[in-house]
Amino acid sequence: MKKSKRSLFTVMGLSTVLLLGACGSEGSSNEASADDKEYDLKMSVTVSESSTWFEAAEKLKTDLAEETDGRINLEIFANEQLSGGDSGKAVEGLSKGTIDLTFNSTIIYSILDERFGVASAPFLFSNLEEVDSVFGGAGGEQLKEVLAEKGVHALGYGQNGFRQLTNSVREVKSPEDITGLKLRIPGIQMYTDLYRELGTDPVTMTFSEVFTALQQGTIDGQENPIDVIYSSKLNEVQDYITMWNYSYDPLVLGMNKELYDSMSDADKELFDRLGKEAADYQLELAREKEAGQIEELQAAGMQFYEPTEEELAAFKEVVQPLYDKYTDIWGADLLEAFQP
């Protein structure tokens, strides 16, 4: 009888050990499965597949797939296909989580919050060195905080570039030259206010309509970075370009924050690292291509003009009231962080 009891206790003890071991194994399996979760993500890019934006998105897609053996798949949609061609709806979708990642300009983010307009304030930056210093420092960090408030985790900053002025009426060297021109501008209030200060007749329309409007003379001109002017062949319908670097146009490689926060620490680190690399890659590509694009536009007959410091000072004086109005909207601390 005693021997039977000992055998029974031995069996019960062994069973308990096995049960505890099984529980421990199950916990380890759950932890591993959290790190090995598969993702099929969708990313929206504003412009075409031939753009540096799309090239950078492709790099991110490839790097993610390679480092996770295909566990994280990224499907890229050019020309805002996920939002019916509407960039504003794209950043709203990113904020709400209906789109996982996007490459969008901070100008578009101004639809969510006017504070984003500070990055493109008129004549804020004189050159790319000043841009890099601000975005690599306090300005870039504070902008990430504002993005996080809107449900977006910033993986990195790319570049659409300095916005330049084109028109088909006359060479623009001074505020007097721009007065009265009918110009297409981005559909945000800051640019409307800015171009009214300059004495123009600003018009908002989707960019897909711009070429035809210029061709038909519905508008006299528009403003955009060189890459957009070049890729859209605006030299065919515009004669003059003023290289005044009046507004810098940064890009945000953004990820839905709720999605990002739900990931394992390892996957967060992966997206932070590879996302920054992709954004840096886009920025380098954009800067490398611009010089060649300018040469080709000149060869195609566009007349380039680069204002002197005195001429730029005249433009800055005219738009100073915009700073008086928008400092409170952007926030004095945020504006100070963006001062080179």
Side-chain angles (χ1 to χ4, degrees):
M1 183 68 180
K2 289 181 179 178
K3 183 178 180 182
S4 298
K5 284 183 178 179
R6 283 198 301 271
S7 298
L8 179 60
F9 292 148
T10 301
V11 170
M12 289 176 66
L14 180 59
S15 298
T16 302
V17 170
L18 290 172
L19 180 61
L20 290 171
C23 291
S25 298
E26 184 179 357
S28 300
S29 176
N30 285 340
E31 289 174 10
S33 63
D35 287 338
D36 293 337
K37 184 175 179 180
E38 294 185 359
Y39 292 94
D40 283 306
L41 306 177
K42 290 181 170 58
M43 178 173 180
S44 183
V45 175
T46 300
V47 286
S48 71
E49 294 180 5
S50 64
S51 67
T52 58
W53 307 24
F54 195 88
E55 287 186 63
E58 284 278 12
K59 172 177 169 55
L60 179 59
K61 171 187 173 75
T62 300
D63 290 349
L64 285 169
E66 286 181 354
E67 292 212 19
T68 63
D69 293 324
R71 178 173 61 84
I72 299 179
N73 177 56
L74 184 61
E75 191 173 0
I76 308 164
F77 296 84
N79 298 313
E80 301 290 18
Q81 295 174 55
L82 296 179
S83 59
D86 189 327
S87 298
K89 289 182 179 178
V91 294
E92 288 174 353
L94 178 68
S95 177
K96 294 175 182 176
T98 56
I99 298 176
D100 301 309
L101 295 98
T102 76
F103 228 153
N104 281 106
S105 164
T106 53
I107 292 171
I108 305 302
Y109 275 95
S110 296
I111 295 169
L112 300 181
D113 191 314
E114 286 190 290
R115 284 178 292 173
F116 290 112
V118 71
S120 298
F123 303 105
L124 183 63
F125 301 112
S126 298
N127 51 56
L128 292 174
E129 287 74 21
E130 292 181 355
V131 167
D132 291 343
S133 175
V134 167
F135 277 89
E141 288 304 312
Q142 288 196 33
L143 201 61
K144 286 181 179 180
E145 292 175 9
V146 180
L147 286 161
E149 290 176 23
K150 300 302 172 184
V152 176
H153 177 74
L155 299 174
Y157 295 116
Q159 171 182 299
N160 197 17
F162 279 113
R163 301 179 76 88
Q164 316 296 359
L165 176 71
T166 72
N167 84 96
S168 56
V169 178
R170 55 182 171 266
E171 193 171 54
V172 173
K173 299 181 178 181
S174 67
E176 290 74 27
D177 294 330
I178 200 173
T179 301
L181 292 180
K182 193 168 188 177
L183 302 172
R184 182 268 178 183
I185 60 170
I188 63 171
Q189 191 60 45
M190 183 192 78
Y191 280 108
T192 300
D193 292 342
L194 169 62
Y195 276 88
R196 283 177 178 162
E197 289 290 345
L198 288 167
T200 73
D201 182 7
V203 177
T204 60
M205 64 175 68
T206 59
F207 188 71
S208 59
E209 300 173 352
V210 170
F211 188 94
T212 301
L214 290 168
Q215 191 174 44
Q216 295 176 346
T218 307
I219 54 176
D220 299 317
Q222 61 84 58
E223 54 74 65
N224 257 305
I226 289 293
D227 186 51
V228 176
I229 295 167
Y230 175 85
S231 61
S232 303
K233 299 181 179 180
L234 295 188
N235 57 286
E236 296 179 5
V237 288
Q238 297 278 265
D239 298 320
Y240 305 101
I241 181 166
T242 300
M243 298 289 290
W244 58 345
N245 289 357
Y246 90 98
S247 179
Y248 183 70
D249 191 354
L251 304 178
V252 174
L253 177 49
M255 182 175 186
N256 175 260
K257 188 174 185 302
E258 187 174 350
L259 169 65
Y260 175 84
D261 289 342
S262 72
M263 291 182 165
S264 67
D265 289 343
D267 282 347
K268 288 177 183 176
E269 185 279 330
L270 187 70
F271 271 93
D272 284 333
R273 175 167 53 84
L274 297 183
K276 185 178 187 305
E277 288 178 6
D280 289 346
Y281 176 70
Q282 185 280 329
L283 185 145
E284 290 171 8
L285 278 179
R287 292 182 180 179
E288 286 173 5
K289 287 186 173 183
E290 185 170 288
Q293 291 171 337
I294 289 173
E295 288 181 3
E296 290 189 40
L297 289 171
Q298 288 174 325
M302 285 198 87
Q303 297 183 42
F304 278 68
Y305 182 75
E306 187 170 336
T308 65
E309 287 299 321
E310 291 76 17
E311 288 167 340
L312 288 175
F315 283 112
K316 293 176 183 178
E317 184 178 354
V318 172
V319 303
Q320 182 56 44
L322 192 83
Y323 279 91
D324 299 334
K325 175 178 179 179
Y326 276 85
T327 295
D328 288 341
I329 294 173
W330 296 327
D333 290 343
L334 184 60
L335 178 58
E336 183 178 354
F338 270 82
Q339 299 291 332

